[in-house]
Amino acid sequence: MGTEFNISESKLQTGDPKSAHVIVCGNEKGGSGKTTISMHMVVALLKTGYRVATIDLDSRQRSFSRYIENRRNWARLNRLQLELPDHFELNRSTRDSANESDSEDFSRFANILAEIERSHDFVVIDTPGSDNYLMRLAHSLADTLTTPLNDSFIDFDVLGKVDAKTHEIYDISHYAMMVKEARRQRRIADSRMLDWVVVRNRLASLSSRNQVNLHNSLKELSSKLGFRVADGISERVIFREFFPMGLTALDDLDHETLGTRPTMSHLSARQEIRQLLSALKLPIDDRGKRRADARRVWLDSAFKPLEIPDIFAD
Ligand SMILES: Nc1ncnc2c1ncn2[C@@H]1O[C@H](COP(=O)(O)OP(=O)(O)OP(=O)(O)O)[C@@H](O)[C@H]1O
Ligand SMILES: [Mg+2]
């Protein structure tokens, strides 16, 4: 188990023009817990005193945006002081040509990042459970990528293919290849590695053979793909109950805030989320500024035409 998320250690010094650290929550598998975990990361960071901006790239479902709207409404209705991020939604371009629409998506995204990266410490980006240009772009800009994974080999399959008998991994799947490519592009731009953390979600309370097999396969895949595995989040009804109120396990656990009596499950969930935040090892020093500078260079160069050496000319 990880250590507690350390509040005093993680305060940024005020007045320092550091740039935002980009956390992307992604997994091509739908329903793995991206929005739920994004919202918990956001509230954890806000409660620690960080300035947090959020971007919803899932323009069809808008669950992240809805979660934040619900939080605002719940606070107003009950006269509560609930922390809120500065939120942005990015609707995908509807241009006919793929090139034009990618280019428009790119400049909208770059504009939002330019607007927030100096004024915020963290940007948390929630992505859809499907592959598209914006989702890939977000992955290539991530400093930390959090991938929630349900405790099932169906969900594991988006990362790697597992032999039914030996449980050995014999192939890398589409999403994992996409992250590999995002990493490669990032390395070319600023020679940095994105920190990829897979979070097991909806863990059953009783250990099973499936859990053990999955743990072993993840361990094998983590060394092949270069991700870390964080301690998991258990399956808890309260995670499903939080959404309409926009609450998280990190909010005050009293009747006034929750509208009901807190339970042991609230306390355990809070503990797990704190351990997750600690496991993410988010940066708190000058590296943040250097990363953002490199990101700007990458954004500036990404849509420039390739320079073709003379030997390829007609
Ligand atoms: N640890 C958990 N325990 C119980 N329910 C959970 C847990 N994590 C997520 N859920 C529930 O699972 C469902 C899917 O979660 P969520 O919407 O966060 O996933 P997602 O990856 O964002 O989905 P999508 O790909 O559709 O955007 C939701 O109903 C959510 O409340
Ligand atoms: Mg979602």
Side-chain angles (χ1 to χ4, degrees), residues 232-247:
I233 311 286
S234 304
E235 166 76 33
R236 295 180 198 283
V237 178
I238 55 157
F239 282 113
R240 276 174 262 151
E241 293 171 343
F242 281 141
F243 176 80
M245 299 165 287
L247 294 176

Side-chain angles (χ1 to χ4, degrees), residues 34-35 58 61 63 126-127:
K34 296 180 287 295
T35 303
D58 195 347
Q61 291 195 42
S63 303
D126 186 25
T127 62

Side-chain angles (χ1 to χ4, degrees), residues 14-221:
T14 48
D16 187 340
K18 285 189 175 78
S19 294
H21 180 92
V22 177
I23 305 173
V24 170
C25 205
N27 184 345
E28 222 174 289
K29 184 87 179 106
S32 57
K34 296 180 287 295
T35 303
T36 305
I37 288 181
S38 291
M39 192 65 184
H40 277 78
M41 291 192 295
V42 169
V43 174
L45 292 166
L46 284 169
K47 283 195 179 290
T48 312
Y50 287 119
R51 298 159 301 176
V52 183
T54 42
I55 305 178
D56 190 353
L57 291 188
D58 195 347
S59 55
R60 203 170 55 81
Q61 291 195 42
R62 298 188 62 247
S63 303
F64 197 26
S65 306
R66 294 278 308 126
Y67 209 141
I68 292 165
E69 283 164 18
N70 291 347
R71 186 172 176 84
R72 182 173 289 113
N73 291 339
W74 185 253
R76 195 176 301 135
L77 199 71
N78 296 287
R79 297 171 195 275
L80 299 169
Q81 295 282 337
L82 295 178
E83 305 81 357
L84 286 160
D86 292 319
H87 185 64
F88 297 80
E89 284 183 59
L90 229 162
N91 293 320
R92 288 182 64 200
S93 165
T94 50
R95 284 177 187 263
D96 290 338
S97 131
N99 253 353
E100 278 178 15
S101 100
D102 286 358
S103 169
E104 189 172 88
D105 282 345
F106 179 86
S107 57
R108 282 191 194 155
F109 197 177
N111 285 344
I112 292 181
L113 273 186
E115 191 181 327
I116 55 187
E117 75 172 356
R118 288 277 160 205
S119 49
H120 294 77
D121 306 312
F122 287 92
V123 183
V124 178
I125 304 176
D126 186 25
T127 62
S130 57
D131 186 6
N132 65 41
Y133 171 74
L134 272 178
M135 176 257 210
R136 270 176 274 133
L137 181 61
H139 280 70
S140 69
L141 292 170
D143 297 309
T144 301
L145 170 62
T146 313
T147 298
L149 188 83
N150 281 330
D151 222 32
S152 152
F153 274 102
I154 292 190
D155 292 63
F156 187 93
D157 201 61
V158 302
L159 297 178
K161 312 276 183 224
V162 177
D163 183 276
K165 256 197 178 151
T166 62
H167 285 109
E168 274 176 23
I169 291 149
Y170 64 87
D171 201 8
I172 305 299
S173 303
H174 181 256
Y175 178 73
M177 291 303 284
M178 192 275 291
V179 176
K180 224 174 143 185
E181 174 58 19
R183 259 190 174 154
R184 195 187 65 80
Q185 290 183 18
R186 189 66 199 275
R187 210 164 31 232
I188 292 170
D190 63 13
S191 60
R192 273 194 53 82
M193 287 286 284
L194 95 97
D195 188 15
W196 187 10
V197 186
V198 171
V199 184
R200 291 175 75 183
N201 190 22
R202 307 186 73 157
L203 289 169
S205 50
L206 291 177
S207 180
S208 62
R209 202 174 55 192
N210 174 67
Q211 259 192 24
V212 175
N213 288 340
L214 208 100
H215 171 83
N216 292 337
S217 297
L218 263 183
K219 214 166 134 195
E220 190 189 333
L221 193 63

